[in-house]
Amino acid sequence: MKHTNGASTERFIYPLTFDPVFKDYPWGGRNLAIKLGRTIPDGIVAESWDIAAHTHGSSVVNTGPLAGKTLPEVQALLGEALLGDRNDQALAAGKFPLLIKILDANRWLSVQVHPDDAYGLAHEDEPGKTEMWVVLHADPGAELIYGFAPGMTRAHYAEVIGTDASVDSLHRVPVKPGDVIFVPSGTVHALGPGIIVAEIQQNSDSTYRIWDWGRPRPLHLEKSLDVLNFSQVQPGPATPTVLLDEEGLRIEQLVRCPYFETERITLPAGHHYYGLCDGSTFEIWAVVQGKAALDSNAASLTLQAVQWVLLPAELGEYQISAEEDAVLLRVVTPENEG
């Protein structure tokens, strides 16, 4: 077990749950309470930053010996024991590599784009932002903007960007619960009304607004044109790769990119998943449907939809048991990180 300042950190290695950070952006609503049964503050709630370690908001551990500490404070204390040896860049930077959110799109989000790492570091003093969504809820007819329609060029888009016409040549995709949308940096995108998503992303808050539906917020037109990928033409939802499908247990790889690897596990009631945090990477788990118990040598807890837990890289063996039919997400950092 790693040591910090000469003291063993073993008692701090246990499954970590957090109090989230809430954001009241104007496109939010009340559906995190109404649809997901979450406890949220009064007023508009657009985002719940569930596992966050950013200067714009850091989640706070809510149980165990680390209760009251922010995630950056936990990383400073545990270092590699938390992140794992795959995450040298994050350890050197002193910055947790991922940011986990739940978004409630009660109105259209701004039409927007995120920079890549090189542009983000040069212009925003932080890495870029590649992200993915797992759709948790979608009203009938709900849609999102994702990439360009055929025929759009940078020169033509430069003529209309920042106006109502910004949205005319964008690709719209109808979505339903369970759909997976991968949004690499450079992709024009916007969530539409009636959609709730789980968002897994790089730990960055750099967003360039192209059009905000008339809301009086700043637009970032020159930077948007710098980073937009005009080869993203009519993309569709990701197609999961089935890794295992037997006796009701189903494991699908949803997205694998240099920043995160996400799997979806369908676990029937009474079934178990056995895992090992072997020191290479932390693991983030969520129950997005149903109810499941997580047991390890350090601690046990029960998770219901939609709750997340962070497993430190040196946690060791653990077991997840479905107390009722459950669907879970598992997020790790891949070996070819960043």
Short mmCIF file of all heavy atoms in Angstrom, two decimals, residues 212-248:
data_model
loop_
_atom_site.label_atom_id
_atom_site.label_comp_id
_atom_site.label_asym_id
_atom_site.label_seq_id
_atom_site.Cartn_x
_atom_site.Cartn_y
_atom_site.Cartn_z
N ASP A 212 -27.07 30.35 -29.39
CA ASP A 212 -27.71 30.10 -28.09
C ASP A 212 -29.20 30.40 -28.12
O ASP A 212 -29.77 30.77 -27.11
CB ASP A 212 -27.01 30.92 -27.00
CG ASP A 212 -27.21 30.32 -25.61
OD1 ASP A 212 -27.47 29.10 -25.51
OD2 ASP A 212 -27.13 31.07 -24.62
N TRP A 213 -29.81 30.25 -29.31
CA TRP A 213 -31.27 30.35 -29.43
C TRP A 213 -31.81 31.69 -28.93
O TRP A 213 -32.90 31.77 -28.38
CB TRP A 213 -31.95 29.18 -28.72
CG TRP A 213 -31.33 27.86 -29.05
CD1 TRP A 213 -30.38 27.19 -28.31
CD2 TRP A 213 -31.56 27.06 -30.21
NE1 TRP A 213 -30.02 26.02 -28.94
CE2 TRP A 213 -30.73 25.90 -30.11
CE3 TRP A 213 -32.39 27.18 -31.33
CZ2 TRP A 213 -30.71 24.90 -31.07
CZ3 TRP A 213 -32.37 26.18 -32.29
CH2 TRP A 213 -31.54 25.06 -32.15
N GLY A 214 -31.01 32.75 -29.08
CA GLY A 214 -31.43 34.08 -28.68
C GLY A 214 -31.19 34.44 -27.24
O GLY A 214 -31.49 35.57 -26.83
N ARG A 215 -30.66 33.50 -26.44
CA ARG A 215 -30.36 33.84 -25.05
C ARG A 215 -29.15 34.79 -25.00
O ARG A 215 -28.23 34.66 -25.80
CB ARG A 215 -30.08 32.57 -24.24
CG ARG A 215 -31.32 31.69 -24.06
CD ARG A 215 -31.04 30.48 -23.17
NE ARG A 215 -30.21 29.49 -23.79
CZ ARG A 215 -30.62 28.26 -24.15
NH1 ARG A 215 -31.89 27.91 -23.98
NH2 ARG A 215 -29.79 27.40 -24.69
N PRO A 216 -29.15 35.70 -24.03
CA PRO A 216 -28.10 36.74 -24.00
C PRO A 216 -26.81 36.27 -23.34
O PRO A 216 -26.35 36.86 -22.35
CB PRO A 216 -28.77 37.87 -23.21
CG PRO A 216 -29.67 37.16 -22.25
CD PRO A 216 -30.19 35.95 -23.01
N ARG A 217 -26.22 35.20 -23.87
CA ARG A 217 -24.93 34.74 -23.37
C ARG A 217 -23.90 34.92 -24.47
O ARG A 217 -24.22 34.89 -25.66
CB ARG A 217 -25.02 33.27 -22.94
CG ARG A 217 -25.99 33.02 -21.79
CD ARG A 217 -25.80 31.63 -21.19
NE ARG A 217 -26.15 30.56 -22.12
CZ ARG A 217 -25.95 29.26 -21.87
NH1 ARG A 217 -25.38 28.88 -20.74
NH2 ARG A 217 -26.31 28.35 -22.76
N PRO A 218 -22.64 35.08 -24.11
CA PRO A 218 -21.60 35.30 -25.12
C PRO A 218 -21.48 34.12 -26.08
O PRO A 218 -21.65 32.95 -25.69
CB PRO A 218 -20.32 35.48 -24.31
CG PRO A 218 -20.78 35.81 -22.92
CD PRO A 218 -22.09 35.14 -22.74
N LEU A 219 -21.17 34.43 -27.34
CA LEU A 219 -20.83 33.42 -28.34
C LEU A 219 -19.32 33.46 -28.56
O LEU A 219 -18.65 34.43 -28.22
CB LEU A 219 -21.58 33.68 -29.64
CG LEU A 219 -23.11 33.73 -29.54
CD1 LEU A 219 -23.72 34.01 -30.92
CD2 LEU A 219 -23.68 32.45 -28.95
N HIS A 220 -18.80 32.38 -29.14
CA HIS A 220 -17.34 32.25 -29.31
C HIS A 220 -17.08 31.82 -30.76
O HIS A 220 -16.68 30.69 -31.03
CB HIS A 220 -16.78 31.22 -28.32
CG HIS A 220 -17.27 31.39 -26.92
ND1 HIS A 220 -18.35 30.71 -26.41
CD2 HIS A 220 -16.83 32.20 -25.92
CE1 HIS A 220 -18.55 31.07 -25.15
NE2 HIS A 220 -17.65 31.97 -24.83
N LEU A 221 -17.32 32.74 -31.68
CA LEU A 221 -17.41 32.37 -33.09
C LEU A 221 -16.05 32.10 -33.71
O LEU A 221 -15.89 31.12 -34.45
CB LEU A 221 -18.16 33.46 -33.85
CG LEU A 221 -19.55 33.82 -33.28
CD1 LEU A 221 -20.24 34.83 -34.17
CD2 LEU A 221 -20.40 32.58 -33.08
N GLU A 222 -15.06 32.94 -33.44
CA GLU A 222 -13.75 32.71 -34.03
C GLU A 222 -13.12 31.42 -33.53
O GLU A 222 -12.58 30.62 -34.31
CB GLU A 222 -12.83 33.90 -33.75
CG GLU A 222 -13.23 35.18 -34.47
CD GLU A 222 -12.23 36.30 -34.24
OE1 GLU A 222 -11.15 36.04 -33.65
OE2 GLU A 222 -12.53 37.43 -34.65
N LYS A 223 -13.21 31.18 -32.23
CA LYS A 223 -12.66 29.95 -31.67
C LYS A 223 -13.41 28.73 -32.20
O LYS A 223 -12.81 27.68 -32.47
CB LYS A 223 -12.69 29.99 -30.15
CG LYS A 223 -11.68 30.96 -29.54
CD LYS A 223 -11.74 30.95 -28.02
CE LYS A 223 -10.66 31.84 -27.41
NZ LYS A 223 -10.71 31.85 -25.93
N SER A 224 -14.73 28.86 -32.34
CA SER A 224 -15.52 27.75 -32.88
C SER A 224 -15.05 27.38 -34.28
O SER A 224 -14.84 26.20 -34.60
CB SER A 224 -17.00 28.11 -32.90
OG SER A 224 -17.51 28.27 -31.60
N LEU A 225 -14.87 28.39 -35.14
CA LEU A 225 -14.41 28.11 -36.50
C LEU A 225 -13.01 27.50 -36.50
O LEU A 225 -12.67 26.68 -37.36
CB LEU A 225 -14.42 29.39 -37.32
CG LEU A 225 -15.81 29.85 -37.77
CD1 LEU A 225 -15.73 31.24 -38.40
CD2 LEU A 225 -16.44 28.86 -38.76
N ASP A 226 -12.20 27.85 -35.52
CA ASP A 226 -10.86 27.27 -35.43
C ASP A 226 -10.90 25.76 -35.19
O ASP A 226 -10.03 25.03 -35.67
CB ASP A 226 -10.07 27.93 -34.28
CG ASP A 226 -9.56 29.31 -34.62
OD1 ASP A 226 -9.57 29.69 -35.81
OD2 ASP A 226 -9.15 30.02 -33.68
N VAL A 227 -11.89 25.31 -34.41
CA VAL A 227 -11.83 23.92 -33.93
C VAL A 227 -12.89 23.00 -34.56
O VAL A 227 -12.80 21.79 -34.39
CB VAL A 227 -11.95 23.86 -32.39
CG1 VAL A 227 -10.86 24.70 -31.75
CG2 VAL A 227 -13.32 24.29 -31.90
N LEU A 228 -13.88 23.54 -35.25
CA LEU A 228 -14.94 22.70 -35.81
C LEU A 228 -14.39 21.69 -36.81
O LEU A 228 -13.55 22.01 -37.65
CB LEU A 228 -15.99 23.56 -36.50
CG LEU A 228 -17.07 24.17 -35.61
CD1 LEU A 228 -17.83 25.27 -36.36
CD2 LEU A 228 -18.03 23.10 -35.10
N ASN A 229 -14.90 20.46 -36.71
CA ASN A 229 -14.52 19.38 -37.62
C ASN A 229 -15.63 19.22 -38.67
O ASN A 229 -16.68 18.64 -38.38
CB ASN A 229 -14.32 18.09 -36.83
CG ASN A 229 -13.94 16.92 -37.72
OD1 ASN A 229 -13.81 17.05 -38.93
ND2 ASN A 229 -13.77 15.76 -37.11
N PHE A 230 -15.40 19.73 -39.87
CA PHE A 230 -16.42 19.70 -40.90
C PHE A 230 -16.53 18.34 -41.58
O PHE A 230 -17.38 18.14 -42.44
CB PHE A 230 -16.18 20.82 -41.92
CG PHE A 230 -16.48 22.18 -41.35
CD1 PHE A 230 -15.47 22.93 -40.76
CD2 PHE A 230 -17.76 22.69 -41.38
CE1 PHE A 230 -15.74 24.17 -40.21
CE2 PHE A 230 -18.04 23.94 -40.83
CZ PHE A 230 -17.04 24.68 -40.25
N SER A 231 -15.67 17.39 -41.20
CA SER A 231 -15.80 16.03 -41.72
C SER A 231 -16.77 15.19 -40.91
O SER A 231 -17.06 14.05 -41.28
CB SER A 231 -14.43 15.34 -41.76
OG SER A 231 -13.95 15.10 -40.45
N GLN A 232 -17.29 15.74 -39.81
CA GLN A 232 -18.30 15.04 -39.02
C GLN A 232 -19.65 15.25 -39.70
O GLN A 232 -20.42 16.15 -39.36
CB GLN A 232 -18.34 15.58 -37.59
CG GLN A 232 -17.16 15.12 -36.74
CD GLN A 232 -17.45 13.78 -36.08
OE1 GLN A 232 -18.12 12.93 -36.64
NE2 GLN A 232 -16.96 13.59 -34.88
N VAL A 233 -19.98 14.40 -40.68
CA VAL A 233 -21.18 14.53 -41.49
C VAL A 233 -22.13 13.38 -41.17
O VAL A 233 -21.78 12.21 -41.30
CB VAL A 233 -20.83 14.53 -42.99
CG1 VAL A 233 -22.10 14.59 -43.84
CG2 VAL A 233 -19.92 15.71 -43.31
N GLN A 234 -23.31 13.73 -40.70
CA GLN A 234 -24.38 12.78 -40.39
C GLN A 234 -23.92 11.60 -39.52
O GLN A 234 -24.23 10.44 -39.81
CB GLN A 234 -25.01 12.25 -41.68
CG GLN A 234 -25.81 13.29 -42.45
CD GLN A 234 -26.53 12.71 -43.64
OE1 GLN A 234 -25.97 11.93 -44.42
NE2 GLN A 234 -27.80 13.06 -43.79
N PRO A 235 -23.19 11.86 -38.44
CA PRO A 235 -22.86 10.75 -37.54
C PRO A 235 -24.12 10.25 -36.83
O PRO A 235 -25.11 10.97 -36.71
CB PRO A 235 -21.87 11.37 -36.55
CG PRO A 235 -22.26 12.82 -36.51
CD PRO A 235 -22.72 13.16 -37.91
N GLY A 236 -24.06 9.04 -36.36
CA GLY A 236 -25.19 8.45 -35.63
C GLY A 236 -24.75 7.93 -34.29
O GLY A 236 -23.57 7.99 -33.93
N PRO A 237 -25.70 7.41 -33.51
CA PRO A 237 -25.35 6.82 -32.21
C PRO A 237 -24.30 5.72 -32.36
O PRO A 237 -24.20 5.06 -33.39
CB PRO A 237 -26.69 6.26 -31.71
CG PRO A 237 -27.73 7.09 -32.40
CD PRO A 237 -27.15 7.39 -33.76
N ALA A 238 -23.49 5.56 -31.32
CA ALA A 238 -22.48 4.51 -31.31
C ALA A 238 -23.15 3.14 -31.32
O ALA A 238 -24.24 2.95 -30.76
CB ALA A 238 -21.58 4.65 -30.10
N THR A 239 -22.48 2.18 -31.94
CA THR A 239 -22.95 0.79 -31.93
C THR A 239 -22.15 0.00 -30.91
O THR A 239 -20.95 -0.23 -31.10
CB THR A 239 -22.79 0.15 -33.32
OG1 THR A 239 -23.53 0.90 -34.28
CG2 THR A 239 -23.28 -1.29 -33.31
N PRO A 240 -22.76 -0.40 -29.79
CA PRO A 240 -21.99 -1.12 -28.77
C PRO A 240 -21.45 -2.44 -29.30
O PRO A 240 -22.06 -3.10 -30.16
CB PRO A 240 -23.03 -1.35 -27.66
CG PRO A 240 -24.07 -0.30 -27.88
CD PRO A 240 -24.14 -0.11 -29.36
N THR A 241 -20.28 -2.82 -28.78
CA THR A 241 -19.69 -4.11 -29.08
C THR A 241 -19.98 -5.06 -27.93
O THR A 241 -19.66 -4.78 -26.78
CB THR A 241 -18.16 -3.98 -29.24
OG1 THR A 241 -17.88 -3.08 -30.31
CG2 THR A 241 -17.53 -5.33 -29.53
N VAL A 242 -20.62 -6.18 -28.23
CA VAL A 242 -20.97 -7.15 -27.19
C VAL A 242 -19.73 -7.97 -26.83
O VAL A 242 -19.14 -8.65 -27.67
CB VAL A 242 -22.11 -8.07 -27.66
CG1 VAL A 242 -22.43 -9.12 -26.58
CG2 VAL A 242 -23.36 -7.25 -27.98
N LEU A 243 -19.33 -7.89 -25.57
CA LEU A 243 -18.16 -8.62 -25.07
C LEU A 243 -18.56 -9.95 -24.44
O LEU A 243 -17.78 -10.90 -24.45
CB LEU A 243 -17.40 -7.78 -24.05
CG LEU A 243 -16.93 -6.40 -24.52
CD1 LEU A 243 -16.22 -5.67 -23.39
CD2 LEU A 243 -16.02 -6.52 -25.74
N LEU A 244 -19.75 -10.00 -23.86
CA LEU A 244 -20.24 -11.21 -23.20
C LEU A 244 -21.75 -11.17 -23.18
O LEU A 244 -22.35 -10.13 -22.90
CB LEU A 244 -19.71 -11.30 -21.76
CG LEU A 244 -20.17 -12.49 -20.92
CD1 LEU A 244 -19.59 -13.79 -21.46
CD2 LEU A 244 -19.80 -12.32 -19.45
N ASP A 245 -22.39 -12.30 -23.49
CA ASP A 245 -23.85 -12.38 -23.44
C ASP A 245 -24.23 -13.82 -23.14
O ASP A 245 -24.30 -14.66 -24.05
CB ASP A 245 -24.46 -11.92 -24.77
CG ASP A 245 -25.96 -11.71 -24.68
OD1 ASP A 245 -26.54 -11.97 -23.60
OD2 ASP A 245 -26.57 -11.27 -25.68
N GLU A 246 -24.42 -14.11 -21.86
CA GLU A 246 -24.77 -15.47 -21.48
C GLU A 246 -25.58 -15.47 -20.18
O GLU A 246 -25.27 -14.71 -19.25
CB GLU A 246 -23.54 -16.35 -21.34
CG GLU A 246 -22.51 -15.88 -20.33
CD GLU A 246 -21.27 -16.77 -20.29
OE1 GLU A 246 -20.82 -17.23 -21.36
OE2 GLU A 246 -20.76 -16.99 -19.18
N GLU A 247 -26.61 -16.27 -20.14
CA GLU A 247 -27.47 -16.45 -18.98
C GLU A 247 -27.99 -15.11 -18.44
O GLU A 247 -28.08 -14.89 -17.23
CB GLU A 247 -26.73 -17.22 -17.87
CG GLU A 247 -26.32 -18.63 -18.29
CD GLU A 247 -25.62 -19.39 -17.18
OE1 GLU A 247 -25.38 -18.78 -16.10
OE2 GLU A 247 -25.34 -20.58 -17.37
N GLY A 248 -28.29 -14.19 -19.35
CA GLY A 248 -28.85 -12.90 -18.95
C GLY A 248 -27.83 -11.84 -18.64
O GLY A 248 -28.16 -10.66 -18.57
#
